[in-house]
Amino acid sequence: KQKRVDNPYLDPDEADRVRAENFEGAKKAAYKACQKEVVLAKNHGGVLPMVKGKKVYVAVFSGEDAGAVIAQMMGAGVAGEDNNEKMRQRLCALLRAKGYEIVDSPEECDYCYLHVWPQQNNIVFVQRSMPVLELVDGLMHDEREMNKSQKKTGNKIAIHTLRGVDQIPALAETVHAHGGKVIATTVVCNPWILSNLEPYVDGMTFQYTVSPVAMGNALGAQMDVLSGEFNPTGKMSLTMVSCPEVIKITEKEIDGEIREICASPNDVPG
């Protein structure tokens, strides 16, 4: 009807010309967008920006990737902990480039930098429980009939939205004991409940970008903010949940049937 097949509306040669002429400008615009998205969520005592030349210890925390679970179910290999180490090495290289000294233990650092990437426990085709917004590692939660009625099975399953989260309080205590500061970048694609993280850090930024294609820009932009080379201007794009109680689900009898009712009018857990 629009004749896009019989009379192509796109000239390939013209498209190549426009791309060649605008590619560098587009790259700069994409990087600028990542800089502008960085949110300064906490800056206790003006700990940020980090003083260049100081010693930094880097730790990476991530959750159990539900997408990886699907891949494993289909017989694909998944990197697992190797991904965290690769991310740590990447962050170390970026920090060195900004003029920081990387150290191997939290006992000798001026700053402990945490890159925190929680993962949603539910995605399409792997809905084994209601979504959990708390940062947990091994929390036992009601199992649901996967991809069916979502009724409770009567069993409990372990949820890992952030593996190793229980290590963060002790890590922060170690760093604070000798006057060091703890800084975190948290990947926020869900309204996470940060009570297992925020109290233990002195400074925190939010990262929204998760695409592998744009990850270099996202991490570079974080470093620009942490080092003081870019003043953060980002605003929160979603409302964070303050505590589990405000989205708690309770059972209630309605018209002779037991229904599950969410405390939130927005029905956050789904």
Side-chain angles (χ1 to χ4, degrees), residues 1 14 23 43 52 59 69 74 95 100 103 146 163 172 188 199 242 246 254 256:
K1 204 170 186 180
E14 177 66 7
F23 187 61
N43 193 17
K52 291 186 177 181
V69 173
M74 298 174 66
L95 287 164
Y100 298 99
V103 295
M146 189 167 66
R163 290 193 178 277
V188 177
S242 61
V246 300
I254 301 177

Side-chain angles (χ1 to χ4, degrees), residues 14-30:
E14 177 66 7
D16 287 342
R17 183 190 67 78
V18 172
R19 179 180 184 277
E21 292 181 357
N22 292 278
F23 187 61
E24 289 304 317
K27 284 173 61 177
K28 291 178 181 178

Side-chain angles (χ1 to χ4, degrees), residues 7 23 50 102 111 145 150 174 176-177 198 202 233 236-237 267:
N7 183 23
F23 187 61
M50 297 160 57
I102 303 301
Y111 297 104
E145 290 186 346
Q150 289 290 290
T174 297
H176 289 146
E198 184 275 330
D202 304 286
T233 59
M236 290 176 61
S237 62
D267 193 23

Side-chain angles (χ1 to χ4, degrees), residues 116-164:
V116 179
W117 192 336
Q119 295 283 350
Q120 184 176 339
N121 64 296
N122 259 359
I123 62 172
V124 177
F125 304 127
V126 190
Q127 298 174 335
R128 297 179 58 208
S129 70
M130 293 294 281
V132 175
L133 295 178
E134 298 148 273
L135 305 185
V136 296
D137 186 11
L139 173 72
M140 300 307 294
H141 207 250
D142 289 323
E143 183 184 48
R144 304 270 173 164
E145 290 186 346
M146 189 167 66
N147 305 324
K148 293 182 180 179
S149 68
Q150 289 290 290
K151 291 181 179 179
K152 294 179 181 179
T153 66
N155 300 322
K156 298 281 187 179
I157 58 173
I159 304 297
H160 307 276
T161 55
L162 190 67
R163 290 193 178 277

